[in-house]
Amino acid sequence: MGNIALFRLFLFHGLLGISAAVTIYYAPGQNPFSTTSADASSYTGAAAYNPTTIDPPALPDPLPSLSLDFNIQSNPTGLSITQSGAFMGFSVEMSVANQILGKNSSILQVPFLNLLATIAQRAGAVRVRVGGNSQDTASEVATLDDGKVLEKDLSGVTNPTETPPLVFTPDLLYMMRNISDFVNVRWYTV
Ligand SMILES: *[C@@H]1O[C@H](CO)[C@@H](O)[C@H](O)[C@H]1NC(C)=O
Ligand SMILES: *[C@@H]1O[C@H](CO)[C@@H](O)[C@H](O)[C@H]1NC(C)=O
């Protein structure tokens, strides 16, 4: 039954997505252009900055059925215990965390926030691990130049995977905490 309900929910989302509310986060100063439905041909600026938006097409009429029923085997062998929607997570190598999560606790990567928000909307939460072999030998320092949260010593790569020694500041952890203020993300740093 649970599976059927879940499928219905997705289908419903897909069809009504045009009018559904979506949370989009913007970096300060990067608010979207004001929108207009004016004819695109009347815009005279550079094409890359054309602010024209296209009117969404009308919904099909009649609407296709919003629910589908499937016969699911009631008790298949090998069925696992029930897992939470956030059972699956993903991993970010620590040495590139400052390219994916954000620059530091005050400059977060907006596309990453949007990705997390999309997953959390469906799974309830997101689990992200920041770690890997670059974390195995990472050490904490109080500060780094220019507000950086981590730095690699590319001249010191040693092991077979050429992992550079890494230093990070506590602000890396604050950055993760700040992301969790916006989206329900649970972190692992191992
Ligand atoms: C991010 O974290 C820092 C340090 O905890 C805090 O001072 C700052 O207000 C936070 N920024 C945002 C946008 O939440
Ligand atoms: C983040 O980096 C910016 C740009 O270098 C800097 O101005 C800001 O102070 C940094 N934020 C923190 C919390 O270090």
Side-chain angles (χ1 to χ4, degrees):
M1 281 307 283
N3 287 350
I4 296 175
L6 198 66
F7 189 83
R8 276 193 181 139
L9 187 73
F10 281 1
L11 190 69
F12 189 72
H13 258 283
L15 285 171
L16 299 188
I18 314 162
S19 58
V22 174
T23 306
I24 297 180
Y25 299 101
Y26 303 109
Q30 293 189 352
N31 296 352
F33 295 116
S34 59
T35 56
T36 166
S37 55
D39 185 352
S41 61
S42 66
Y43 177 73
T44 52
Y49 300 100
N50 190 334
T52 309
T53 55
I54 299 170
D55 292 328
L59 291 174
D61 182 23
L63 278 177
S65 170
L66 295 182
S67 68
L68 295 175
D69 288 329
F70 292 95
N71 292 324
I72 294 176
Q73 210 179 331
S74 63
N75 198 12
T77 51
L79 196 64
S80 80
I81 57 167
T82 305
Q83 302 291 353
S84 95
F87 177 64
M88 301 261 272
F90 60 91
S91 172
V92 174
E93 184 69 37
M94 189 185 196
S95 59
V96 296
N98 61 340
Q99 295 168 46
I100 296 174
L101 276 52
K103 177 174 181 182
N104 59 30
S105 71
S106 40
I107 306 179
L108 305 180
Q109 279 279 14
V110 176
F112 186 64
L113 280 182
N114 286 334
L115 169 72
L116 294 174
T118 305
I119 301 173
Q121 192 181 41
R122 287 156 177 76
V126 197
R127 291 169 203 227
V128 186
R129 172 244 198 175
V130 174
N133 54 352
S134 58
Q135 191 259 356
D136 291 343
T137 52
S139 51
E140 188 189 293
V141 294
T143 53
L144 289 169
D145 289 345
D146 199 23
K148 277 187 280 206
V149 292
L150 52 84
E151 205 162 62
K152 293 173 229 181
D153 177 8
L154 292 173
S155 65
V157 295
T158 44
N159 61 25
T161 57
E162 302 210 326
T163 304
L166 203 63
V167 286
F168 68 97
T169 72
D171 202 42
L172 173 67
L173 304 176
Y174 291 133
M175 174 165 69
M176 291 153 67
R177 175 68 182 84
N178 280 2
I179 290 173
S180 293
D181 280 343
F182 289 114
V183 189
N184 188 8
V185 186
R186 309 295 171 90
W187 302 94
Y188 297 82
T189 50
V190 287

Coordinates of all heavy atoms in Angstrom, one line a residue, residues 101-108 140-143 149 168-182 187 189:
L101 N 29.9 22.8 -1.2 CA 29.0 23.3 -0.2 C 28.9 24.8 -0.2 O 27.9 25.4 0.0 CB 29.5 22.8 1.2 CG 29.1 21.5 1.7 CD1 29.4 20.4 0.7 CD2 29.8 21.2 3.0
G102 N 30.1 25.4 -0.4 CA 30.1 26.9 -0.4 C 31.6 27.3 -0.1 O 32.4 26.5 0.1
K103 N 31.8 28.6 -0.2 CA 33.2 29.1 0.1 C 33.5 29.0 1.6 O 34.6 28.6 2.0 CB 33.4 30.5 -0.5 CG 34.8 31.0 -0.2 CD 35.1 32.3 -0.8 CE 36.6 32.6 -0.4 NZ 37.1 33.8 -0.8
N104 N 32.6 29.6 2.4 CA 32.7 29.5 3.8 C 31.3 29.7 4.4 O 30.3 29.7 3.7 CB 33.7 30.6 4.3 CG 33.3 32.0 3.9 OD1 32.1 32.3 3.8 ND2 34.3 32.8 3.7
S105 N 31.2 29.9 5.7 CA 29.9 29.9 6.4 C 29.0 31.1 5.9 O 27.8 31.0 6.1 CB 30.0 29.9 7.9 OG 30.5 31.1 8.3
S106 N 29.6 32.1 5.3 CA 28.8 33.2 4.9 C 28.5 33.2 3.4 O 27.7 34.0 2.9 CB 29.4 34.6 5.3 OG 30.8 34.6 5.2
I107 N 29.2 32.3 2.6 CA 29.0 32.3 1.1 C 28.7 30.8 0.8 O 29.5 30.0 0.5 CB 30.2 32.8 0.4 CG1 30.6 34.2 0.8 CG2 29.9 32.8 -1.2 CD1 31.8 34.7 0.2
L108 N 27.4 30.5 0.8 CA 26.9 29.1 0.5 C 26.7 29.0 -1.0 O 26.3 29.9 -1.7 CB 25.7 28.8 1.2 CG 25.7 28.9 2.8 CD1 24.4 28.6 3.4 CD2 26.9 28.1 3.4
E140 N 43.1 20.7 11.8 CA 42.4 21.9 12.0 C 43.4 23.1 12.2 O 44.4 22.9 13.0 CB 41.4 21.8 13.1 CG 40.5 23.0 13.2 CD 39.7 23.0 14.5 OE1 38.8 22.1 14.6 OE2 39.9 23.8 15.4
V141 N 43.2 24.2 11.6 CA 43.9 25.4 11.9 C 42.9 26.5 12.3 O 41.7 26.4 11.9 CB 44.8 25.9 10.8 CG1 45.9 24.9 10.5 CG2 44.0 26.1 9.5
A142 N 43.3 27.5 13.0 CA 42.4 28.6 13.5 C 41.8 29.4 12.3 O 40.6 29.6 12.2 CB 43.0 29.5 14.5
T143 N 42.7 29.8 11.4 CA 42.2 30.6 10.3 C 43.1 30.4 9.0 O 44.2 29.9 9.1 CB 42.3 32.2 10.5 OG1 43.6 32.5 10.9 CG2 41.3 32.6 11.6
V149 N 38.0 28.1 4.0 CA 37.8 27.1 5.0 C 38.7 25.9 4.9 O 38.9 25.1 5.8 CB 36.3 26.6 5.1 CG1 35.4 27.7 5.5 CG2 35.9 26.0 3.7
F168 N 42.0 22.6 7.5 CA 40.7 23.2 7.5 C 40.5 24.1 8.7 O 41.1 23.9 9.7 CB 39.6 22.2 7.4 CG 39.4 21.3 8.6 CD1 38.4 21.6 9.5 CD2 40.2 20.2 8.8 CE1 38.3 20.8 10.7 CE2 40.1 19.4 10.0 CZ 39.1 19.7 10.9
T169 N 39.5 25.0 8.6 CA 39.2 25.9 9.8 C 37.9 25.4 10.4 O 37.1 24.8 9.7 CB 39.1 27.4 9.4 OG1 37.9 27.6 8.6 CG2 40.3 27.8 8.6
P170 N 37.5 25.8 11.6 CA 36.2 25.5 12.2 C 35.1 26.0 11.3 O 34.0 25.5 11.4 CB 36.2 26.1 13.6 CG 37.7 26.3 13.9 CD 38.4 26.5 12.6
D171 N 35.4 27.0 10.5 CA 34.3 27.6 9.7 C 33.7 26.6 8.7 O 32.6 26.7 8.3 CB 34.8 28.8 9.0 CG 33.7 29.8 8.5 OD1 32.8 30.0 9.4 OD2 33.7 30.3 7.4
L172 N 34.5 25.5 8.3 CA 34.0 24.5 7.5 C 32.7 23.9 8.2 O 31.7 23.6 7.5 CB 35.0 23.4 7.2 CG 34.6 22.2 6.5 CD1 34.2 22.5 5.1 CD2 35.7 21.1 6.5
L173 N 32.9 23.6 9.5 CA 31.7 23.0 10.2 C 30.6 24.0 10.4 O 29.4 23.6 10.3 CB 32.3 22.5 11.6 CG 33.4 21.6 11.5 CD1 33.9 21.2 12.9 CD2 33.0 20.3 10.8
Y174 N 30.9 25.3 10.6 CA 29.9 26.3 10.7 C 29.1 26.4 9.3 O 27.9 26.6 9.3 CB 30.5 27.7 11.0 CG 31.0 27.8 12.4 CD1 32.2 28.3 12.7 CD2 30.2 27.3 13.5 CE1 32.7 28.4 14.0 CE2 30.7 27.4 14.8 CZ 32.0 28.0 15.0 OH 32.5 28.0 16.3
M175 N 29.9 26.2 8.2 CA 29.2 26.3 6.9 C 28.2 25.1 6.8 O 27.1 25.3 6.3 CB 30.3 26.1 5.8 CG 29.8 26.0 4.4 SD 31.0 26.3 3.1 CE 32.1 24.8 3.3
M176 N 28.6 24.0 7.2 CA 27.7 22.8 7.2 C 26.4 23.1 8.1 O 25.3 22.8 7.7 CB 28.4 21.6 7.6 CG 29.4 21.1 6.6 SD 30.8 20.2 7.3 CE 30.0 18.7 7.8
R177 N 26.7 23.7 9.3 CA 25.6 24.1 10.2 C 24.7 25.1 9.5 O 23.5 25.0 9.6 CB 26.2 24.6 11.5 CG 25.2 25.1 12.5 CD 24.4 24.0 13.0 NE 23.4 24.4 13.9 CZ 22.2 24.9 13.6 NH1 21.9 24.9 12.3 NH2 21.3 25.2 14.5
N178 N 25.3 26.0 8.8 CA 24.4 27.1 8.2 C 23.6 26.5 7.1 O 22.4 26.9 6.9 CB 25.3 28.2 7.6 CG 25.8 29.2 8.7 OD1 25.5 29.0 9.8 ND2 26.5 30.2 8.2
I179 N 24.1 25.5 6.4 CA 23.3 24.8 5.4 C 22.1 24.1 6.0 O 21.0 24.2 5.5 CB 24.2 23.8 4.6 CG1 25.2 24.6 3.7 CG2 23.3 22.9 3.7 CD1 26.2 23.7 3.0
S180 N 22.4 23.5 7.2 CA 21.3 22.8 7.9 C 20.2 23.8 8.4 O 19.1 23.4 8.8 CB 21.8 22.0 9.0 OG 22.6 20.9 8.5
D181 N 20.6 25.1 8.5 CA 19.6 26.1 8.9 C 18.5 26.2 7.8 O 17.4 26.6 8.1 CB 20.2 27.4 9.2 CG 20.8 27.5 10.6 OD1 20.5 26.7 11.4 OD2 21.6 28.4 10.8
F182 N 18.9 26.0 6.6 CA 18.0 26.2 5.4 C 17.3 24.9 5.1 O 16.2 24.9 4.7 CB 18.8 26.7 4.2 CG 19.3 28.1 4.3 CD1 20.6 28.4 4.4 CD2 18.4 29.1 4.3 CE1 21.1 29.7 4.4 CE2 18.8 30.4 4.4 CZ 20.2 30.7 4.5
W187 N 24.7 15.6 8.8 CA 26.1 15.4 8.2 C 26.9 14.3 8.9 O 26.7 14.1 10.1 CB 26.9 16.7 8.5 CG 26.3 17.9 7.8 CD1 25.4 18.8 8.4 CD2 26.4 18.4 6.5 NE1 25.0 19.8 7.5 CE2 25.6 19.5 6.3 CE3 27.1 17.9 5.4 CZ2 25.6 20.3 5.1 CZ3 27.1 18.6 4.2 CH2 26.3 19.8 4.1
T189 N 31.1 13.4 9.2 CA 32.4 13.8 8.8 C 33.3 12.7 9.2 O 33.9 12.7 10.3 CB 32.9 15.1 9.5 OG1 32.6 15.0 10.9 CG2 32.1 16.3 8.9

